Amino acid sequence: MSLRDRARYRFDRTLARSAGSLMGWLVVSCLAVVVPVSALLVWTDPGAPPSLSGRLTAVWRSSAETLRLGTVDGTPLRMLLAALLGLVALLCVSTLVGVITTGLAERLAELSRGRSTVLEEGHAVVLGWSDQVFTVVAELVAAQVPHRPRAVVLLADVDKTEMERALAAHVGPSGRTRLICRSGPASDPGVLALVSPRTARTVLVLPSGEPTADAEVLRTLLALRAVLGEDAEGPPVLAAVRDDQYRAAARLAAGPRGTVLETDTVTARLIAQCVRRPGLSLVLRDLLDFAGDEFHLADADAFHERPFGAALLGHAGACVVGLLTPQGRTLLNPPADTVIAPGSRLIILARDEEAARPDDCRHLVERPVIATAPPHPEDAAHVLLLGWNRRAPLVVDQLRRTARPGSVLDVVTDRSVPASTREPEPWPEPEPSGASRLSVRFQSAALSRPETLLGFDLTPYDGTVVLGPDPGDGPDRPDDRTLVTLLALRLVEERTGRQLRVVTELTDDRNRPLAPLDPGSDVIVSGELTGLLMAQIAQNRHLAAVFDELFSADGSTICLRPAGHYVCPGSVTTFATVVAAARDRGECAIGYRRHDRRAAPPDHGVRLNPHKAERREWSTDDQVIVVATDTPTPPTPPTPGPPIPNPTREDAPSAHHRERTSD
């Protein structure tokens, strides 16, 4: 080894001993530089003292001024004591600066870790970190002013700086709403207390993408219960789980003011509904976000002791869809003769609560153009399901419950199907069964190869569902396999010249523009759907029952039905006429979809809550969006209801409002 390497090694070993060794080397290094340079300055100065003692004294003064050691003259003892005092002063100042610097650095590091207490009131607390967090925060920020929280506090076991960067990239400017991030495990009661859940307006618990997400949600709810105690006046708690086996336990942990959503079941219900109702995902996307019209609760004082049907034409700028009884029971699309009891509230679809002012619109109804022919019953469907994941059995179950008798579901997978659902088998002819309305047939094939689908005859299918694998089932991302399958389906469309009705499930909304689908096709992003639902329910917990019924296979749901069921095709009439026709059939009309704008973004022809006075020509291919039971009912003769009180002049919609809603 060279002499240089040996010297470096000894120097490093000396520094590693203690802080005193480091200070000693610093003193030696300073003297080794300052003293020779000071001597050189003195010896090269023409005005320097001629004697050696005078020059040495000048060297001492120059070195002392440089090192701030003092400039005391006299005997060597006095100079040595002055040097000692200067070194002690330098050591004290350096130590003080070091203590201050270390304290500030530790405080800044603690703040960057997000471990300080949040002192807020009326804020929204979001616990957990997943892809849904961006949708939830964006919708809370975009909520109307009366419902918008002043601050949104996020707590997750993620670095605070990373959370802030991700929110800035996905959510963007938050306006007057403050976004506050704290880092730490939400299942730790000590960490959970940092976000002040007691003074929060609402608390949302999000599941992560990990396999143990549901168990972590349950632990977080128990920690929240430990922090809040058994106080019944605590904030409403909204949580989401993926597996049904955790839902009952999560409800117990959430307490009486808690609401628990089952994300996989909601996604499966929507997929099954979109198979029979193309365009439903576009309607729900517009309905669930805060950018347009959404559900609100309005006073029903003007309709007390009157039938529910009278309220359907009692608002010009809002669509009535149900009732909230004084006992807290939610009635969605009740019979038209249901009496509205005092203390009830109306469930309306409107841009804001100001649009719920009563306005008699019966004079806008044009009875001669209302269709009177009974609707045609739906035929049996032949559906193709491509792919398999943990939500696939739920999709099959929903299709079984809503299918028309004689329907067939063909499932093509590239993996084995659990025996609890049914083992894969070749496609035989479906066996007749009076108990089952849907015959399910399985087949295994390599879906990752385009030639597999090219060999299939897709002509008899009325709809196709494409599901991606679960995260972690392979080296690829789940949406990659889905995009490959969609490319193969597009190639089939080009070769056969037949347009397929495709319902696709994606895990990342950023892949929506990449999907090779026709504009206006149904694309369900499960994380986005859950985030939108949680944001809506967080603003009004009574809407949980509304959405639960809308997404269920039983009861009332959102349907898109031909406009010819309600008005004569080619007629020019008002939307109030459509509402009256839907009321005669036991339905609540909330909008329509124009056929000539199906491929036109961003709304793809969907129009929710048009003004009752809006007039347009209704073509055969147009659709009316209604809240109704799954089976269409024939029209019933209208029954005259009691008069609706006219609003005062200042309550009536302005002329500008009537004009801007015209098409």
Side-chain angles (χ1 to χ4, degrees):
M1 297 180 62
S2 64
L3 180 62
R4 180 181 178 184
D5 293 336
R6 291 179 182 274
R8 178 176 296 177
Y9 171 70
R10 291 189 176 183
F11 178 75
D12 294 341
R13 189 176 61 181
T14 304
L15 292 182
R17 290 178 181 176
S18 63
S21 300
L22 176 59
M23 295 179 60
W25 276 110
L26 290 176
V27 173
V28 172
S29 301
C30 291
L31 294 177
V33 175
V34 172
V35 173
V37 173
S38 299
L40 182 61
L41 290 174
V42 171
W43 254 262
T44 58
D45 186 8
S51 62
L52 179 61
S53 60
R55 291 193 174 189
L56 292 178
T57 302
V59 170
W60 159 252
R61 289 180 177 177
S62 178
S63 301
E65 291 176 356
T66 303
L67 297 176
R68 300 295 189 269
L69 300 178
T71 57
V72 178
D73 295 333
T75 62
L77 179 59
R78 286 176 55 84
M79 298 172 63
L80 181 60
L81 293 176
L84 179 61
L85 290 176
L87 289 175
V88 171
L90 179 62
L91 178 61
C92 292
V93 173
S94 301
T95 303
L96 180 61
V97 172
V99 170
I100 295 175
T101 304
T102 303
L104 289 176
E106 291 179 353
R107 182 58 178 170
L108 292 176
E110 182 180 356
L111 292 176
S112 64
R113 289 195 300 267
R115 290 302 179 92
S116 59
T117 304
V118 176
L119 300 179
E120 295 282 348
E121 293 184 2
H123 56 293
V125 176
V126 180
L127 306 177
W129 188 262
S130 64
D131 293 338
Q132 304 163 4
V133 71
F134 306 117
T135 302
V136 170
V137 174
E139 291 302 313
L140 292 177
V141 171
Q144 301 296 332
V145 175
H147 305 285
R148 184 186 306 159
R150 295 180 300 176
V152 179
V153 182
L154 297 96
L155 174 62
D157 200 6
V158 182
D159 183 72
K160 175 178 178 290
T161 304
E162 295 181 4
M163 296 167 63
E164 293 174 345
R165 291 176 180 174
L167 289 172
H170 290 81
V171 179
S174 58
R176 296 184 178 181
T177 302
R178 300 187 304 276
L179 302 183
I180 304 173
C181 298
R182 292 294 180 263
S183 180
S187 57
D188 186 350
V191 177
L192 186 58
L194 297 177
V195 297
S196 301
R198 286 181 176 272
T199 59
R201 179 181 178 182
T202 183
V203 179
L204 297 91
V205 184
L206 305 181
S208 64
E210 302 297 328
T212 59
D214 290 346
E216 187 65 24
V217 169
L218 185 60
R219 290 172 56 87
T220 302
L221 291 174
L222 292 175
L224 186 63
R225 188 171 185 175
V227 173
L228 298 177
E230 301 297 334
D231 188 6
E233 299 299 327
V237 179
L238 177 61
V241 296
R242 298 187 307 183
D243 198 335
D244 180 62
Q245 65 179 349
Y246 285 93
R247 187 175 185 181
R251 282 181 172 176
L252 292 175
R257 293 179 60 84
T259 303
V260 179
L261 300 179
E262 188 181 351
T263 59
D264 283 356
T265 300
V266 171
T267 303
R269 289 173 177 175
L270 180 56
I271 292 174
Q273 291 177 3
C274 288
V275 172
R276 299 174 48 245
R277 308 181 190 116
L280 180 60
S281 65
L282 302 173
V283 176
L284 291 176
R285 184 183 178 91
D286 190 7
L287 184 65
L288 293 177
D289 62 24
F290 285 105
D293 297 88
E294 60 269 354
F295 288 125
H296 297 278
L297 293 179
D299 293 332
D301 298 340
F303 305 96
H304 286 171
E305 304 299 339
R306 291 180 169 84
F308 174 76
L312 296 179
L313 290 171
H315 301 82
C319 292
V320 180
V321 298
L323 288 173
L324 179 65
T325 65
Q327 295 77 25
R329 182 186 176 190
T330 300
L331 301 178
L332 196 62
N333 185 33
D337 56 356
T338 302
V339 178
I340 301 178
S344 300
R345 304 189 69 185
L346 297 176
I347 303 174
I348 64 170
L349 177 65
R351 179 169 295 275
D352 51 45
E353 297 178 359
E354 296 296 329
R357 297 177 179 178
D359 188 1
D360 192 355
C361 299
R362 289 181 297 178
H363 64 282
L364 300 174
V365 178
E366 301 172 352
R367 283 286 173 184
V369 300
I370 294 180
T372 57
H376 298 286
E378 295 186 18
D379 299 329
H382 198 173
V383 182
L384 176 64
L385 174 61
L386 302 175
W388 196 264
N389 56 27
R390 68 172 188 270
R391 287 172 294 278
L394 300 175
V395 175
V396 174
D397 180 67
Q398 291 297 318
L399 291 175
R400 277 180 174 144
R401 298 175 63 181
T402 59
R404 294 293 178 263
S407 299
V408 178
L409 173 64
D410 291 331
V411 182
V412 181
T413 68
D414 52 4
R415 52 183 261 186
S416 60
V417 179
S420 58
T421 304
R422 187 174 175 182
E423 290 295 336
E425 61 183 25
W427 287 3
E429 289 298 325
E431 298 179 0
S433 175
S436 177
R437 295 182 294 180
L438 179 70
S439 299
V440 184
R441 307 181 300 187
F442 291 83
Q443 178 174 338
S444 297
L447 294 177
S448 58
R449 298 179 178 273
E451 57 269 19
T452 301
L453 292 179
L454 294 177
F456 281 53
D457 181 16
L458 303 181
T459 304
Y461 294 106
D462 301 304
T464 304
V465 181
V466 180
L467 302 179
D470 292 319
D473 284 354
D476 300 331
R477 290 173 294 186
D479 289 349
D480 294 343
R481 302 278 294 275
T482 304
L483 295 176
V484 171
T485 304
L486 293 177
L487 283 172
L489 291 176
R490 173 53 63 91
L491 185 58
V492 171
E493 288 181 335
E494 294 177 353
R495 290 192 176 184
T496 61
R498 181 175 180 267
Q499 184 176 358
L500 302 176
R501 285 172 42 186
V502 181
V503 180
T504 308
E505 180 197 21
L506 295 176
T507 60
D508 193 344
D509 186 60
R510 291 173 294 181
N511 293 326
R512 186 193 299 267
L514 307 181
L517 294 168
D518 294 328
S521 298
D522 288 292
V523 179
I524 290 94
V525 183
S526 54
E528 180 192 36
L529 174 66
T530 304
L532 292 174
L533 273 174
M534 296 187 73
Q536 287 283 344
I537 299 175
Q539 302 303 321
N540 193 333
R541 60 194 299 259
H542 295 291
L543 296 181
V546 176
F547 290 118
D548 184 62
E549 184 171 352
L550 288 178
F551 285 99
S552 66
D554 305 321
S556 297
T557 183
I558 296 179
C559 304
L560 287 85
R561 291 177 175 168
H565 289 183
Y566 305 93
V567 294
C568 299
S571 60
V572 179
T573 186
T574 61
F575 183 69
T577 305
V578 177
V579 173
R583 181 186 60 180
D584 297 342
R585 299 176 182 270
E587 304 168 355
C588 299
I590 62 174
Y592 60 85
R593 187 182 187 189
R594 294 176 51 174
H595 178 74
D596 57 343
R597 292 185 55 86
R598 285 177 176 267
D603 56 359
H604 299 285
V606 175
R607 177 74 185 280
L608 292 179
N609 187 32
H611 197 274
K612 297 296 191 299
E614 178 183 325
R615 299 181 63 88
R616 63 180 305 273
E617 181 179 354
W618 301 86
S619 68
T620 307
D621 297 323
D622 290 339
Q623 292 178 307
V624 176
I625 305 171
V626 296
V627 176
T629 55
D630 194 39
T631 304
T633 56
T636 57
T639 57
I644 301 175
N646 290 324
T648 60
R649 192 173 192 82
E650 58 270 18
D651 290 340
S654 62
H656 172 70
H657 182 217
R658 296 179 183 272
E659 292 175 359
R660 71 175 180 86
T661 54
S662 61
D663 218 354

